[in-house]
Amino acid sequence: PDPAFINAGDGRHSHPTHEFFDEFSFLEQLGWNRCQIHIALAGDLFHSRTVHSKADGLQVFQQVTVDLIAPAELQLPSHVLAQMRRQGFEVRIFDDIRTYMKEARKA
């Protein structure tokens, strides 16, 4: 048989195989409906390569809302944030979980 390769990322910036499993899980939970998704990502968004991969993986959905919850020094890198916005994602940024939990609309 021909060899098969799976891209496990570049070590520091992305993790596409993990993202593949995340998207599968999202779709399974949503009954395979790709119309919309609203997720919250919290913690060290700056260094998390699985979070960085969301910019590509969430494109399977037609409407995407992403809530980013982290202090300024750990927020998503600007190039990943810009990529999400270019793709039409609604991105909301929160400095801490307490502020986020006061929101009427949460993931």
Side-chain angles (χ1 to χ4, degrees):
D2 291 332
F5 296 93
I6 297 175
N7 181 354
D10 63 3
R12 295 188 65 190
H13 303 101
S14 67
H15 197 321
T17 51
H18 187 141
E19 184 58 25
F20 175 77
F21 292 117
D22 283 354
E23 296 314 313
F24 181 86
S25 297
F26 295 151
L27 287 165
E28 189 174 48
Q29 287 293 312
L30 294 170
W32 307 101
N33 183 341
R34 298 184 318 129
C35 289
Q36 65 181 7
I37 190 167
H38 183 175
I39 66 168
L41 303 170
D44 184 352
L45 308 180
F46 188 82
H47 295 102
S48 174
R49 56 192 197 130
T50 56
V51 169
H52 299 176
S53 294
K54 295 283 178 272
D56 292 320
L58 291 172
Q59 291 182 81
V60 301
F61 295 95
Q62 296 167 6
Q63 183 180 346
V64 178
T65 302
V66 179
D67 297 337
L68 303 175
I69 308 161
E73 61 273 11
L74 296 177
Q75 268 298 346
L76 201 61
S78 59
H79 70 279
V80 179
L81 178 60
Q83 180 184 355
M84 286 183 170
R85 288 184 168 150
R86 272 192 313 273
Q87 291 165 181
F89 296 5
E90 176 186 0
V91 181
R92 304 181 324 152
I93 299 174
F94 301 90
D95 291 332
D96 60 69
I97 195 72
R98 286 185 190 95
T99 303
Y100 181 68
M101 293 309 293
K102 293 176 185 174
E103 282 292 306
R105 187 171 59 118
K106 293 183 276 299

